[in-house]
Amino acid sequence: MKRSKYDLAVGLFVAFGLMSLVFLALKVGNLAGYDSGDGYRIEARFDNIGGLKVRAAVKSAGVVVGRVEAIVLDPETYEAKTVLRLDPRYRFSKDTIASILTSGLLGEQYVNLEVGGDSVYLGNGDRVVKTQPAMILEKLIGQFLYNKAAENTGSK
Amino acid sequence: MNRLLEPLADLGHVVLSALARLGLVGRFFLGILAVLWLPIRRFSLLVREVYFSGFRSLLIVTVSGLFVGMVLAVQGYEVLQRFGSAESLGVLVALSLVRELGPVVTALLFAGRAGSATTAEIGLMQATDQIAAMDMMAVNPMARIIAPRFLAAVVSVPILACLFISAGIFGSYLVGVQLIGIDEGAFWSQMQASVDFRLDVINGLIKAVVFGVAIGLISVFEGYYAPPTAEGVSSATTRTVVVSSLAVLMLDFVLTVWMFRGLS
């Protein structure tokens, strides 16, 4: 077929469109499998993860050091098993405490790593033993009310 | 006729002529669909029209998208930071662009930029009897002139909408992350966590296709039936922009209710 002068421009146009669709699918939407970037993975089990989501930040002293890669429920212990992918520049001791905190009052939840004093470092596939579950506001309020009631009956 | 019944007769006339026009549009649409195979088989016809209506709209659409995204980022940040959730800016911008603003604003821009040009072109062809001459030469003007322009709109609007949305998200990234200083990871990760490809992106594209059909149909119809005078072509062009814009906004409401009813 004879090439017209419009062919190149329209080809470019369609290619741009497809590129932006790919951008929408992978970078904006959640179609991406996962960008298997570098870093090592550690495992942490929580009693309750609250509103933690996959791809949430992992921070230490407020600095982002990794991302939450997977969250699954352990069918035997009924704990939430999370896989954290950490930046290889940072090493954490074996007795690191992982806890789930919230940034701000209504902000997103993230995993905080509190470094301990052990001289052995966590490596790929290791498990964080000490964890603190997410705070559930309803539970806290319930506990508070319960304590208050117990206090009142005790003083009388 | 009785003086008192005159307004009623006027009303009846208005309704009947509106219905007749609607019927004309419907038949015209079926006529286009019947000859739609030609621009697909003779691809160069379609390519030429996509160049004029799609490729030439590239600049206006991407630049508008960029600025819409930037404005959304500034205004969205203003409100979100009051609640300490400025990181949700990415979600706000992406969802509003992908679901609503992208398809709708692109369609409105396309109606103004390309739909009006199509109407004026076909209207002038009609006024100078080029279409009648084509008919005389046993060339079907529906297949040769109308169908490629219609199909070009259907093809171009979704592509332009994709580009508009991408440009908008890039603009909000520039303002939100680079200028204001929101955490880049949270910006993208929250966006990815809440934008669903099938539910949001695909539905947005379906909207864009529907708008493309509406604009394509309205612009070729208005041109084809434009009165063969300078004034007629001018008013047909105006009508294309007005009717397409209203049709896009109304269709958007209907589609939104249908697509996102069960949500949120």
Side-chain angles (χ1 to χ4, degrees):
Chain A
M1 205 173 87
K2 207 173 118 277
R3 291 252 152 254
S4 80
K5 57 182 173 175
Y6 306 119
D7 284 353
L8 179 65
V10 172
L12 220 70
F13 174 62
V14 175
F16 276 149
L18 287 178
M19 264 158 57
S20 59
L21 185 64
V22 169
F23 167 75
L24 289 180
L26 300 184
K27 189 85 183 167
V28 178
N30 51 6
L31 200 69
Y34 197 75
D35 54 314
S36 52
D38 52 350
Y40 61 101
R41 289 163 179 76
I42 61 170
E43 188 194 311
R45 287 157 184 270
F46 297 94
D47 292 337
N48 193 326
I49 55 160
L52 190 74
K53 289 190 178 72
V54 174
R55 281 190 280 261
V58 178
K59 297 183 186 179
S60 183
V63 180
V64 178
V65 295
R67 301 257 163 228
V68 176
E69 202 172 53
I71 301 173
V72 283
L73 182 71
D74 189 315
E76 273 150 32
T77 58
Y78 289 97
E79 285 174 322
K81 190 179 117 186
T82 62
V83 178
L84 316 176
R85 199 187 71 205
L86 301 180
D87 194 317
R89 280 179 299 170
Y90 305 113
R91 314 292 307 274
F92 294 94
S93 61
K94 265 264 179 333
D95 56 350
T96 294
I97 303 171
S99 46
I100 297 176
L101 302 179
T102 309
S103 52
L105 199 59
L106 297 166
E108 60 168 339
Q109 291 192 302
Y110 64 94
V111 177
N112 186 56
L113 295 180
E114 194 100 31
V115 183
D118 205 319
S119 56
V120 186
Y121 290 115
L122 286 167
N124 199 15
D126 280 356
R127 186 173 150 193
V128 180
V129 185
K130 295 180 187 170
T131 62
Q132 240 172 38
M135 278 200 292
I136 309 290
L137 204 59
E138 289 89 333
K139 275 189 186 171
L140 276 182
I141 294 173
Q143 213 163 32
F144 174 74
L145 290 177
Y146 183 77
N147 287 347
K148 209 68 178 160
E151 237 172 65
N152 286 347
T153 50
S155 62
K156 269 174 193 170
Chain B
M1 200 194 288
N2 194 330
R3 262 279 190 57
L4 284 171
L5 294 178
E6 197 79 12
L8 264 180
D10 283 349
L11 180 69
H13 178 72
V14 167
V15 170
L16 278 180
S17 48
L19 276 177
R21 204 167 170 79
L22 205 65
L24 201 60
V25 174
R27 280 184 56 189
F28 192 70
F29 186 46
L30 291 180
I32 294 176
L33 290 185
V35 294
L36 214 53
W37 50 268
L38 186 92
I40 294 169
R41 219 176 57 180
R42 280 185 63 186
F43 209 61
S44 58
L45 283 177
L46 179 63
V47 166
R48 185 181 173 279
E49 296 313 322
V50 171
Y51 172 79
F52 279 111
S53 54
F55 181 78
R56 297 282 284 269
S57 310
L58 212 56
L59 195 66
I60 182 178
V61 164
T62 42
V63 172
S64 314
L66 198 67
F67 280 98
V68 167
M70 280 155 72
V71 168
L72 269 179
V74 172
Q75 295 289 1
Y77 177 76
E78 221 19 62
V79 176
L80 285 174
Q81 55 108 14
R82 291 185 204 174
F83 304 104
S85 48
E87 275 78 22
S88 308
L89 185 68
V91 181
L92 173 85
V93 171
L95 279 185
S96 44
L97 276 173
V98 168
R99 284 187 185 172
E100 297 292 339
L101 284 175
V104 172
V105 178
T106 306
L108 293 179
L109 288 172
F110 187 83
R113 162 70 184 71
S116 58
T118 304
T119 304
E121 192 186 10
I122 297 174
L124 208 64
M125 281 181 177
Q126 193 70 278
T128 49
D129 287 333
Q130 291 180 49
I131 289 178
M134 216 172 243
D135 230 353
M136 292 295 287
M137 292 186 290
V139 177
N140 185 353
M142 280 301 260
R144 186 69 176 68
I145 300 291
I146 307 296
R149 283 165 176 75
F150 169 77
L151 202 60
V154 179
V155 172
S156 299
V157 176
I159 296 179
L160 290 170
C162 275
L163 288 162
F164 183 94
I165 297 166
S166 304
I169 288 168
F170 180 67
S172 72
Y173 165 80
L174 283 183
V175 169
V177 176
Q178 302 295 340
L179 219 65
I180 298 177
I182 293 167
D183 176 45
E184 188 175 344
F187 181 83
W188 292 114
S189 71
Q190 289 211 9
M191 193 189 288
Q192 286 174 357
S194 14
V195 177
D196 189 78
F197 183 73
R198 266 166 289 274
L199 200 70
D200 297 318
V201 178
I202 294 294
N203 273 349
L205 287 184
I206 291 173
K207 274 186 178 179
V209 172
V210 173
F211 298 160
V213 171
I215 296 172
L217 179 62
I218 290 166
S219 56
V220 292
F221 174 82
E222 291 290 352
Y224 197 79
Y225 288 101
T229 57
E231 200 189 356
V233 174
S234 125
S235 72
T237 311
T238 308
R239 226 175 14 248
T240 293
V241 177
V242 173
V243 176
S244 312
S245 307
L246 288 178
V248 164
L249 293 171
M250 288 177 194
L251 280 171
D252 181 52
F253 173 71
V254 174
L255 288 173
T256 302
V257 170
W258 175 59
M259 286 170 174
F260 300 110
R261 192 180 35 193
L263 257 91
S264 62

